[in-house]
Amino acid sequence: MKEVMEGSHAVSEAVRLAKVQVMSAYPITPQTHIVEALSEYCADGRMAGKFICVESEHSAMAAVIGAASGGVRTFTATSSHGLALMHELLHWSSAARLPIVMAEVNRALGPGWNIWMDQTDSLAQRDTGWIQLYCEDGQESLDTTLQAFRLAEAVSLPVMVVLDAFFLSHTYEPVDLPDQETADRFLPPFQPRIQLNTADPFAVSQMAPPPVYMEMRHDIQKAMEGVPEAFDQVEDAFESVFGRRYGAIDAVACEDAEIILVMAGTAASTCRQVVADLRERGEKIGLVKLKMFRPFPTDLIRSVLGKAKKVAVLDRNCCFGIGGIFAQEIRAALYHSDNRPPIFSYISGMGGRDITPEILEEIYRQTKESAFPEKESVWIGLNQ
């Protein structure tokens, strides 16, 4: 059934279809619409789950950690400084191997105070042990949220479903909304690996002295290494039910591309049209949309980008002192490749600024006209 809904509500509907049992969140723009809808579903009986109101994002994550430890399916959502406040507990949830799913609506960090789109908040959490999946549109937001529960429960790691503030969270689009029976065919009831039980007591997140701590961290790394295969299996199952799949990356017109643009989120939609337009003018350009950021899809990146003459990476973020984060990851991924095309790093669209076709064409022009990057990152679209 097709419905026109905003991106936030696409996530809410997926959570409802997943029959989540415990939700907890603290309101922060622009994720608020997600949890507002869920609280209404719990209040009016459309969901049988429990919505826990808390005083902060730190407490929201603490609540779902407790619930997940009790063996139930859990969900939360946040943005920006709310995610930053959760930082401590992101480590606790991943190290405890809890399959929590969280929607993270990308929003700029202050100061100055800004409620608009910026990827720095989620990327600042890249080392916390959470799987990160970035969405392009409303349909992908719904589908990825459903997939996230099955993936998290398969590998016993939490999953962050990331979507752009306002460009996606507050934009209305037609979305194919499945019925409950169809969703149930894809996502079975939760069978917890960890479940606190007074009849069979055991400790969770206890003291880990030197003889065991390193092994625990190694287990997390091994689980992350298994995510790409598990993700493919989840997508196979999803495609068999819904007829759609996304891939850890989406390569568009890359077979003969001499210059490939790489980006994540809604900017990829604009870039699809730019690629089509430039192709009509005879330009050999391609696009790679990066969906999975953690774990980083190194093998796929090498297989696609290793064929290009040049790669241009668009980051809506900045790691101060080094530059664009996606660009640095791609440089590292290609380091051991036989063919290492130069990586041109561009930063634009921070704080909600538009990524226009003109900006993407300028990125392509600068990359084409330069033999080698002159800077670690070039800022495009500055008002100066």
Side-chain angles (χ1 to χ4, degrees):
M1 178 178 65
K2 288 282 188 181
E3 287 195 18
V4 176
M5 66 179 69
E6 67 175 37
S8 291
H9 291 160
V11 174
S12 307
E13 290 296 329
V15 175
R16 178 183 63 80
L17 291 166
K19 297 180 179 177
V20 171
Q21 295 155 287
V22 174
M23 295 144 278
S24 183
Y26 186 81
I28 182 171
T29 302
Q31 71 81 17
T32 308
H33 289 185
I34 297 173
V35 296
E36 281 181 341
L38 292 174
S39 66
E40 291 175 2
Y41 297 164
C42 292
D44 65 19
R46 277 179 282 177
M47 288 186 72
K50 171 72 173 178
F51 191 96
I52 303 174
C53 296
V54 290
E55 79 286 356
S56 74
E57 289 84 1
H58 188 281
S59 296
M61 182 55 63
V64 293
I65 286 174
S69 299
V72 299
R73 187 170 282 164
T74 59
F75 174 82
T76 187
T78 192
S79 296
S80 186
H81 290 278
L83 181 62
L85 186 58
M86 285 181 177
H87 177 77
E88 174 194 4
L89 291 179
L90 297 184
H91 288 279
W92 281 87
S93 53
S94 63
R97 307 293 301 278
L98 298 174
I100 298 164
V101 173
M102 173 167 61
E104 206 292 300
V105 184
N106 275 148
R107 169 189 151 181
L109 294 160
W113 189 68
N114 181 296
I115 63 171
W116 292 276
M117 165 61 194
D118 194 308
Q119 297 164 333
T120 308
D121 58 344
S122 59
L123 294 176
Q125 312 303 321
R126 60 189 179 274
D127 300 329
T128 57
W130 281 63
I131 299 166
Q132 289 193 8
L133 304 174
Y134 287 72
C135 300
E136 181 181 352
D137 55 32
Q139 188 67 64
E140 188 172 2
S141 298
L142 187 150
D143 295 350
T144 302
T145 303
L146 271 177
Q147 291 176 329
F149 287 103
R150 183 156 173 170
L151 177 61
E153 292 161 14
V155 298
S156 296
L157 285 173
V159 179
M160 191 181 298
V161 179
V162 187
L163 52 153
D164 291 2
F166 296 102
F167 294 115
L168 179 47
S169 66
H170 287 57
T171 297
Y172 282 77
E173 300 175 88
V175 172
D176 186 1
L177 179 64
D179 58 32
Q180 189 64 64
E181 182 180 355
T182 304
D184 290 345
R185 285 167 51 203
F186 167 72
L187 184 64
F190 181 33
Q191 299 294 324
R193 185 179 70 91
I194 296 172
Q195 186 171 23
L196 291 172
N197 185 348
T198 56
D200 183 21
F202 61 91
V204 175
S205 300
Q206 69 273 28
M207 178 70 72
V212 298
Y213 182 88
M214 189 169 171
E215 284 69 22
M216 291 171 64
R217 266 32 193 185
H218 182 250
D219 286 346
I220 299 171
Q221 174 61 23
K222 295 297 290 184
M224 272 289 188
E225 290 171 0
V227 167
E229 181 179 356
F231 179 74
D232 285 343
Q233 293 171 354
V234 168
E235 287 229 302
D236 288 343
F238 190 87
E239 186 177 28
S240 70
V241 175
F242 298 100
R244 297 185 294 273
R245 70 184 302 129
Y246 297 93
I249 67 171
D250 183 15
V252 179
C254 289
E255 294 80 6
D256 63 342
E258 295 181 354
I259 297 175
I260 297 177
L261 276 59
V262 183
M263 62 201 66
T266 57
S269 292
T270 305
C271 196
R272 291 178 191 274
Q273 186 60 52
V274 170
V275 168
D277 293 343
L278 289 174
R279 281 269 169 179
E280 287 185 359
R281 285 147 48 185
E283 303 291 341
K284 291 187 176 181
I285 180 176
L287 163 68
V288 166
K289 185 192 80 170
L290 188 63
K291 178 182 180 70
M292 181 182 289
F293 178 68
R294 278 294 181 269
F296 197 73
T298 300
D299 291 341
L300 291 173
I301 289 293
R302 287 175 180 169
S303 67
V304 176
L305 299 187
K307 302 173 185 177
K309 292 183 177 179
K310 299 176 184 178
V311 174
V313 183
L314 174 62
D315 276 289
R316 302 183 87 158
N317 62 77
C318 183
C319 177
F320 301 115
I322 194 64
I325 295 170
F326 288 152
Q328 296 302 319
E329 296 273 346
I330 289 170
R331 286 181 178 130
L334 294 177
Y335 182 80
H336 292 295
S337 297
D338 293 333
N339 179 40
R340 294 200 301 268
I343 308 299
F344 293 76
S345 171
Y346 298 92
I347 294 174
S348 192
M350 295 180 70
R353 194 165 299 183
D354 287 340
I355 299 292
T356 64
E358 291 75 20
I359 284 177
L360 294 171
E361 289 201 23
E362 176 63 16
I363 288 171
Y364 176 75
R365 183 193 66 78
Q366 288 194 25
T367 304
K368 184 178 181 180
E369 294 178 357
S370 302
F372 198 79
E374 296 181 0
K375 297 181 179 180
E376 283 292 331
S377 294
V378 175
W379 292 63
I380 297 286
L382 291 172
N383 291 326
Q384 59 185 27

